[in-house]
Amino acid sequence: MTAQPYKSWVDSANDHPDFPIQNLPLGIFSRPGQKPRGGVAIGDQILDLQAALDAGLFVGDAAVAAEAASREQLNDFFALGASGRKALRTALLHLLDEHSEQQATMRALGEALLVPMTSCELHLPAHVGDYTDFYVGIHHAQNIGKLFRPDNPLLPNYKHVPIGYHGRSSTLCISGTPVRRPNGQTLPAGQETPSFGPSKRLDYELELGIWLGPGNNMGESIAIGEASNHIAGFCLLNDWSARDVQAWEYQPLGPFLAKNFASSVSPWVITPEALEPFRKPQPARPEGDPQPLSYLLDDADQAAGAFDIELEVLLLTEAMREQGLPPQRLALSNTLNMYWTVAQMVAHHSVGGCKLQPGDLFGSGTLSGPDPDAVGSLLESTNGGKQPLTLASGEQRTFLEDGDEVILRARCRRDGYPTIGFGECRGKVQPAH
Amino acid sequence: MTAQPYKSWVDSANDHPDFPIQNLPLGIFSRPGQKPRGGVAIGDQILDLQAALDAGLFVGDAAVAAEAASREQLNDFFALGASGRKALRTALLHLLDEHSEQQATMRALGEALLVPMTSCELHLPAHVGDYTDFYVGIHHAQNIGKLFRPDNPLLPNYKHVPIGYHGRSSTLCISGTPVRRPNGQTLPAGQETPSFGPSKRLDYELELGIWLGPGNNMGESIAIGEASNHIAGFCLLNDWSARDVQAWEYQPLGPFLAKNFASSVSPWVITPEALEPFRKPQPARPEGDPQPLSYLLDDADQAAGAFDIELEVLLLTEAMREQGLPPQRLALSNTLNMYWTVAQMVAHHSVGGCKLQPGDLFGSGTLSGPDPDAVGSLLESTNGGKQPLTLASGEQRTFLEDGDEVILRARCRRDGYPTIGFGECRGKVQPAH
């Protein structure tokens, strides 16, 4: 990391709220009618990695990494691990710097090299072998626990075990994919037999997504001190949830149809290197909380294992669109609300020998803050649907209506350093079949 | 189906306990030093589909299906659905019949066409996109429920919802793969804080595996009347479970590390056509049980949606090996113990729009019978570890010891018809790291 801010000759990158030269996230894009390929976001442009390779802009390890990242999916790039990723980042910083010696060559390539993001389609960054959703947002766990188990909100295992469960990889979808309201079984209040029909309690969940890099063999584990070498990057994740389906189905084996109809992912993979300036000590556990077991404890991880990333949920309804209103913020939270670090999640997931693979995806679980304006789901903000929100459009919401679009954003801010962002994770609710 | 028993010119097929000509299961095998490819089990031999194609033994739809099934994984074959599968079966029945006109051609090909199964390695039949484990064995659900919730063994949703949860696809492994005892967190009886170490309550689970054929799009669903068109075949599945890890971690989101270290799968895909003679009416629900909701109810499925398949668990310990004893049967159960049919599982899984894909795998959940000698896990047969089993070797078992090998078998029997079998699903426990 350099402390000195870079500027780029790509004008839109300077003061860009998400993608200044300090960010350089990777993703998969396609020009109209062309196959998906790997690129790097810089300002409002995408740098085409194959075009840069063809122009001889990369050499050595950076060329190897760029080649792996130029394919239809980033799995091979994720498998390279930190050394290849860092080599590519160093090369990109030099190429895109305002003083780059290759600036003229790159400008001459025009849209073959730098294509406007708005003219491209973005795709899921990788093939996801397995998707795991954790539950490390302790305020969320407490809020939800109060609704389901008023006497016993936080179960005895919570502060010992980074609780997680396996999700559905086939319905992970890229930001912008419409999300159809699911039909399902529910047990309406006061009834003794279940009903079938469209979910009446459709909700979002504000999560940090974690892309896995190099994996481990079945039967082996990843020590917590090594865990950071297995992280490829980060994204936003909306783990859409049908709360009425969930309440009826989740005992004894956990959420199933309530969650497996769609999970939206933001397109850009924010690297650990880009987030390095925003690392923080893991917040101290409240007085009286137990120490983690040793396989979950690492001094370096406790010293700098957390991230200070602002997380935002916004809602745009049909009425707001008609009234010309902008999306309305429903919550502002932060990844410092994670009770467990990402390294602890990796160490725990693999400790029994579960095989992790490049391109696996973790969700953090809903990251609510302690305050009412920082909660990452409607289930929490409406107190289980009992206290509707009033929107700027004059509408009320307990849960999502058809036509509602949920927008997640994430930004990292630090004095004297450019803001970097994740871009958006959007999804609009379609009526049930 | 023909009612007339065929004999094969492949002598070992006649009276073979698993693979007579009436079975013809598909799988992926490799000769020493060669790449995996598709084949068909016949007696103690494997018919090499690529070799048969090269010899011009298939034409038309059968050739298309054989080509898809000859690759490194069966996903493309599964995607073809029933018509291709049936065309291939019809062709294979003619080729392998004792009166086959092409018998001389095939005999002349020797081991290029028919290779002894014992000289080959067998592989997972398909790339599994997602693995889902159900819980349709009602006797198992009752037995387990009694241990975890004595007052409330069967939860109120059980008879309305085909309960399932997402499992881990990365640690599905082929029969014969050693299974390492997992380390993990547990809360030993009487302690207030958890411990870490090798699981002390390692268990097996006797399950039917279901391979998915053609899938559905995200946001769409598969009607129960169409569900059988989405089933590619069946196998045995041992869903290894660390009961002490499970008890401590499973609330509130279900099993995670307790199950994701290994799930063993038998290599041969038994087709719906081979099982057709063993279909039965779904057993009547006990008096007073609710009718399923309409999306789970189909007359044809109720009339013939169940299977009469004997399921067996055997154990072979180190001491038994030393004493020259054969594997000892621990349980004999049957797929008629499924409270929900396979079609009901497919319809339920997809009803909210979850995308199913060719090569997805379902587990039935543990299929215990009502009697003590028919229970599909040690947790049940030892009453939660309180009543040890005494083995023929003189040993006792509550849970699995290192060196124990668990063997699952399945056979279908009917008067006047050859027995067909699934082959074995084996796994031997290795000591923890």
Side-chain angles (χ1 to χ4, degrees), chain A residues 1 271-280 304 307 414 420:
Chain A
M1 275 316 304
T271 65
E273 290 70 39
L275 293 178
E276 192 64 37
F278 309 100
R279 296 199 73 147
K280 289 277 172 74
F307 294 99
R414 199 181 105 178
I420 73 167

Side-chain angles (χ1 to χ4, degrees), chain B residues 72 86 109 203 312 322 326:
Chain B
E72 274 193 71
K86 287 178 183 177
L109 289 167
D203 201 354
E312 192 180 10
E322 285 163 15

